[in-house]
Amino acid sequence: MKYIRRKFRDAKLRHKILLTFFIIGIIPMLVLGEYSYSAVRELLVKQEKSNMSDYLTQAIMSADNQIQIYNNLSEYISYNDTIAQVLTYDYKNYYEMYEQYTKVLDPLLSSVKYFNHGVKQLTVYTGNPGIAKHDVTIAPIQEIAEEKWYPLVEKSDSRFINWVVDPKNRKVFSVRNMPAIRNSGSSGILYIEVDYDKLFESFEEMSGNQYGIYIVDENDFTIYQMTSYDTSRELHPLAIADIRNQKAVCDDYTIVDGSMVTGWKVWFYKTNREIRSSVIPLIVAILVVTALCITFSVIATTVLSKVMVNDIEKLTENMKAVESGNMEILVTSDAADEVGNLIRGFGNMINRINQLINEVYKGKISQKESEMKALQAQINPHFLYNSLSLINWKALETEQKDISRLTLLLSTFYRTALNRGRNILSIRDEISNMNSYLEIQLMIHDYAFTVVREIDEDILEYQTLNLILQPLVENAIEHGIDPDEEGKGVITIQGRKDGNHILLSVKDNGIGMDEETAATILTARSKGYGVRNVNERIMLYYGESYHLTVESMPRKGTVITIRIPQIRM
C-alpha cells in the first residue's frame, strides 16, 4: 500500500487525473447505465401517464381561468348601475340618447373589449321600448326572442350565467339577465360571445401527437372534439360512445376530468403503445448520451492536465503583458477549480481598473457638459429679457401702451419665476410674480373678475419657495370662477403671520366643490398637477408639518391656504 501511495504521489499530474477519473468516474458510470436501462423505462412510462393527467388539469384550468374572466366581466357589466341608468332612462329626444351612448356606454364597453381580446361581440338587449339600437352593443330584446336559448335565459335566476356552445358554427357565448336593469323595472339580457378557438386552444397542444379530446356539456352533448392522430401509422381515433361505454380496447389509456366553473366533462385518451413509444427516444437518448459522455470524458481527461498547465502559462504571460502597460484580458477560464478562480479574479481586477479609468474620463466629460449647460442657463434668460425689452420699445414707438404694459408684466413674471435658478426668494418677490401673472390674466379675461390683496407688510421680507402662489391663482381662475354665474368673480389673496408661521391664502367666490373632491385635490387621484406639485414641494423642503389646506363648499367658493415657517431672507 505504501508503494502504491508513493508511486501515485510521484506520478505526473496528468497521470493522477487519468487514474482518479477512471476509478471514480467511468466504472460507476457503466454500472449506472446498466441499471438505468432497466429501471428508467418503466419509470418514464409512469411519468408520461402522470404528465398526461397534469396536461389535462392544466388545460382545464386554463380554460376555466378564461371563462372565469368572462364571468367576472359579465358580473361587472350586469351589475353596473351606470349602464342600467343609461338604458332605462326616459330620453326626450334621440340626440340626448346618442350623447349618452357616445359619452358613457361606448367608452365603457370599448375599454372592456380592448382589455379582453377574446371577446368577439358584446351586446346588451334591452326591453325598454324607448331605447334605439346602437351598433352591435345595444339592441332591442325582440331580436333574440326567437333564439332557442332565450326562454331558458328569461326564466333563469339573475345571478346565473348561461354558457351556450354551437360546435357546428364554432361559436361560444354567455347570456344572462342583468340584475341592475331588472331592479330599475325593465328587462335586459347581456350577450358576450368569445373566441371559440382561443377558449379551447389549451387542449390543442397538450401531449404532442397521437391523442384525442372530447368535451361534453352537462347534457352530455359534445361541444368540442379534437384528434391528433397520424393516420399513416394505422392508428385511428376512438369514438366518444366507445369511451363512455368502456368499449375501447384494453390497450387504450383514458383520463376523464371536469370543469369546476362550467360543469363540462373532458375525456382525454391515448394508446399505451404511443405512451411507450413516446419514451423510447428518451431512453435511446440516455444510452447515446451515456456512451458519448464516457468517450468524451476519456478524451477530456487525457487533455485536462495539459489544459490546466496551458491556462497557468497563459495567465503568467497575461500578467507580464499588464506589467508592460497592455490592459487587455488575454486569457479567460470557465473552470470552477482554483486555477479558474485565479484567472477570473485577475480578469475581474483588470476589468475594475479599466472601469475606474473610464469613470474618471467620463467624469471629466460630464463636468464639461455641466459647465456648458450652466452657461446656456445664463444665456437663455438674457435672450428672453432682451427680446421682451425690444418688444416693449417697439410698442412704445408705435404708442401701443397695452402691448408695452403686457410685455413689462411678462418680463417681470419670468424674471421672478426664473429667479436666477434659485428655489428660494422673498415673499415680496413672490407677490410681485403673482401680481404680474394676475395683471396678464385680467387683460386676457377683459377684467371679468376682481382681485383683492390683503398682504401684511411685516411678512414681505421673509423667505418662501419660488412659484407657489401662481399655481393657486391659476387654479382659482380656471376652475373656481364660473363665467356663467351671475355677479362678478372675486379672487382674494391674503398673507399674515400666525404665531411662528406665515399663512398665505388664495380665495375665490366661485363654484366650489364637495368634500370628496376637495379631499382628493392634493392626492395622486387629482387630475390637476399644479396645486399638488406646490404641496409636495413645500412638504419636501420644510417637512411634512407644512402643507396646503383646502376648504370648499359647493356654490360658496374655495380657499387654499399655504402654511410655511417664518425664516428671514
Side-chain angles (χ1 to χ4, degrees):
M1 184 62 66
K2 293 181 179 179
Y3 176 79
I4 295 176
R5 288 201 300 267
R6 186 173 65 252
K7 284 293 185 180
F8 184 80
R9 183 187 59 191
D10 296 336
K12 293 182 178 181
L13 180 60
R14 185 181 306 177
H15 296 161
K16 292 179 181 178
I17 295 173
L18 286 172
L19 181 59
T20 302
F21 181 79
F22 182 79
I23 295 175
I24 66 174
I26 294 180
I27 295 177
M29 192 178 296
L30 292 173
V31 175
L32 179 62
E34 178 66 23
Y35 172 79
S36 298
Y37 183 78
S38 58
V40 170
R41 182 174 180 273
E42 293 301 321
L43 179 63
L44 290 177
V45 170
K46 293 180 181 179
Q47 185 63 41
E48 179 67 15
K49 293 182 178 180
S50 176
N51 290 340
M52 288 175 60
S53 179
D54 293 339
Y55 292 150
L56 182 60
T57 301
Q58 292 174 7
I60 293 175
M61 288 179 60
S62 178
D64 282 353
N65 288 337
Q66 291 190 59
I67 292 174
Q68 189 60 53
I69 291 173
Y70 299 138
N71 285 346
N72 293 339
L73 175 62
S74 177
E75 292 285 329
Y76 168 73
I77 296 175
S78 299
Y79 286 91
N80 192 297
D81 291 332
T82 301
I83 297 176
Q85 291 173 5
V86 173
L87 296 180
T88 58
Y89 185 78
D90 186 15
Y91 295 100
K92 299 177 181 179
N93 51 63
Y94 282 100
Y95 174 78
E96 185 181 7
M97 183 188 305
Y98 177 77
E99 186 179 30
Q100 289 297 308
Y101 283 172
T102 56
K103 290 185 178 181
V104 179
L105 285 184
D106 286 348
L108 192 151
L109 298 180
S110 297
S111 65
V112 166
K113 293 186 66 176
Y114 178 81
F115 290 105
N116 296 271
H117 301 292
V119 177
K120 299 181 66 176
Q121 179 182 340
L122 193 154
T123 306
V124 177
Y125 295 96
T126 175
N128 186 352
I131 295 297
K133 184 174 182 179
H134 178 64
D135 197 15
V136 296
T137 57
I138 306 299
I141 207 167
Q142 289 79 9
E143 289 190 3
I144 58 172
E146 300 300 324
E147 295 291 341
K148 296 180 179 180
W149 45 265
Y150 176 75
L152 175 65
V153 177
E154 188 180 31
K155 297 177 181 178
S156 63
D157 191 293
S158 299
R159 296 170 297 179
F160 186 75
I161 301 174
N162 302 274
W163 279 93
V164 181
V165 183
D166 183 3
K168 182 178 180 181
N169 298 313
R170 302 184 72 81
K171 291 180 61 177
V172 55
F173 54 90
S174 69
V175 287
R176 63 170 299 169
N177 287 298
M178 299 182 65
I181 294 180
R182 279 198 168 186
N183 293 338
S184 301
S186 183
S187 60
I189 292 179
L190 175 62
Y191 174 96
I192 301 178
E193 181 180 350
V194 301
D195 192 324
Y196 181 90
D197 295 327
K198 185 176 180 62
L199 181 63
F200 295 110
E201 70 178 353
S202 58
F203 297 100
E204 296 183 1
E205 298 178 359
M206 289 176 50
S207 182
N209 296 323
Q210 312 302 325
Y211 73 94
I213 289 287
Y214 284 100
I215 302 178
V216 298
D217 60 14
E218 60 275 8
N219 297 320
D220 215 30
F221 176 75
T222 301
I223 60 175
Y224 176 81
Q225 63 177 344
M226 192 278 296
T227 56
S228 177
Y229 274 86
D230 185 2
T231 56
S232 64
R233 302 181 64 179
E234 297 182 357
L235 295 173
H236 303 285
L238 300 176
I240 183 64
D242 293 338
I243 296 177
R244 290 172 180 160
N245 299 326
Q246 298 182 351
K247 293 181 179 179
V249 295
C250 60
D251 195 40
D252 294 313
Y253 181 72
T254 303
I255 304 176
V256 61
D257 203 346
S259 169
M260 299 296 294
V261 177
T262 61
W264 297 340
K265 186 177 293 185
V266 182
W267 300 83
F268 177 30
Y269 63 93
K270 191 173 186 179
T271 64
N272 281 319
R273 189 193 318 173
E274 285 300 317
I275 295 175
R276 289 192 296 269
S277 64
S278 64
V279 301
I280 289 176
L282 183 57
I283 294 176
V284 174
I286 292 175
L287 296 177
V288 171
V289 170
T290 302
L292 291 176
C293 286
I294 293 174
T295 304
F296 175 78
S297 299
V298 172
I299 297 174
T301 306
T302 303
V303 299
L304 181 61
S305 59
K306 184 178 180 180
V307 171
M308 293 177 61
V309 173
N310 286 341
D311 286 343
I312 295 175
E313 291 176 350
K314 290 180 181 179
L315 177 60
T316 303
E317 293 175 359
N318 199 175
M319 294 176 66
K320 292 180 179 179
V322 171
E323 289 177 354
S324 64
N326 184 4
M327 300 299 292
E328 295 183 358
I329 303 299
L330 301 178
V331 58
T332 59
S333 176
D334 296 327
D337 57 6
E338 292 80 3
V339 177
N341 292 334
L342 178 62
I343 293 173
R344 286 191 295 274
F346 181 77
N348 292 335
M349 181 185 68
I350 298 300
N351 288 332
R352 181 58 179 164
I353 292 174
N354 289 329
Q355 181 181 358
L356 292 173
I357 293 173
N358 290 332
E359 288 178 356
V360 173
Y361 177 74
K362 292 178 180 178
K364 292 182 178 179
I365 295 177
S366 177
Q367 180 181 0
K368 295 297 181 182
E369 291 178 349
S370 299
E371 293 173 356
M372 180 60 70
K373 290 180 179 179
L375 180 60
Q376 292 173 346
Q378 294 176 355
I379 293 174
N380 291 338
H382 288 297
F383 177 74
L384 174 63
Y385 301 148
N386 291 337
S387 299
L388 293 174
S389 178
L390 179 60
I391 295 172
N392 177 47
W393 283 107
K394 291 292 183 181
L396 291 175
E397 287 179 359
T398 58
E399 296 184 357
Q400 299 292 331
K401 295 182 179 181
D402 288 340
I403 297 177
S404 173
R405 184 164 176 262
L406 181 61
T407 305
L408 290 175
L409 290 171
L410 190 61
S411 176
T412 302
F413 173 78
Y414 276 109
R415 183 174 63 255
T416 53
L418 294 174
N419 196 29
R420 299 181 181 178
R422 295 193 295 265
N423 195 33
I424 298 298
L425 77 172
S426 67
I427 294 178
R428 183 186 301 277
D429 289 338
E430 179 64 9
I431 296 296
S432 176
N433 171 268
M434 178 204 65
N435 286 335
S436 299
Y437 177 79
L438 271 171
E439 290 297 323
I440 294 172
Q441 287 287 0
L442 283 168
M443 296 177 68
I444 292 174
H445 291 83
D446 198 21
Y447 298 91
F449 60 91
T450 301
V451 178
V452 178
R453 300 172 180 85
E454 300 175 354
I455 309 296
D456 293 347
E457 289 289 330
D458 57 351
I459 70 169
L460 297 179
E461 300 307 322
Y462 287 92
Q463 70 166 231
T464 182
L465 293 180
N466 192 17
L467 283 176
I468 61 173
L469 284 176
Q470 181 270 331
L472 305 188
V473 173
E474 180 181 3
N475 184 75
I477 296 172
E478 297 296 330
H479 304 290
I481 298 175
D482 188 356
D484 297 330
E485 190 75 12
E486 295 183 3
K488 197 171 185 179
V490 178
I491 295 178
T492 304
I493 294 92
Q494 296 177 325
R496 62 182 176 86
K497 289 185 178 180
D498 181 30
N500 295 326
H501 306 101
I502 293 176
L503 300 181
L504 302 172
S505 64
V506 177
K507 177 182 178 182
D508 64 73
N509 64 340
I511 59 177
M513 64 189 85
D514 54 31
E515 292 185 3
E516 182 179 356
T517 304
T520 62
I521 194 172
L522 300 178
T523 66
R525 292 185 294 168
S526 173
K527 295 181 180 179
Y529 178 72
V531 177
R532 176 161 55 92
N533 176 261
V534 171
N535 186 57
E536 292 174 353
R537 288 174 57 209
I538 291 174
M539 293 177 66
L540 286 173
Y541 191 83
Y542 293 116
E544 294 186 357
S545 60
Y546 297 96
H547 50 78
L548 302 187
T549 57
V550 181
E551 301 175 44
S552 183
M553 292 182 62
R555 318 311 304 176
K556 296 294 184 180
T558 301
V559 181
I560 301 181
T561 303
I562 301 173
R563 182 172 177 268
I564 57 175
Q566 292 184 19
I567 304 175
R568 288 192 174 273
M569 289 294 295

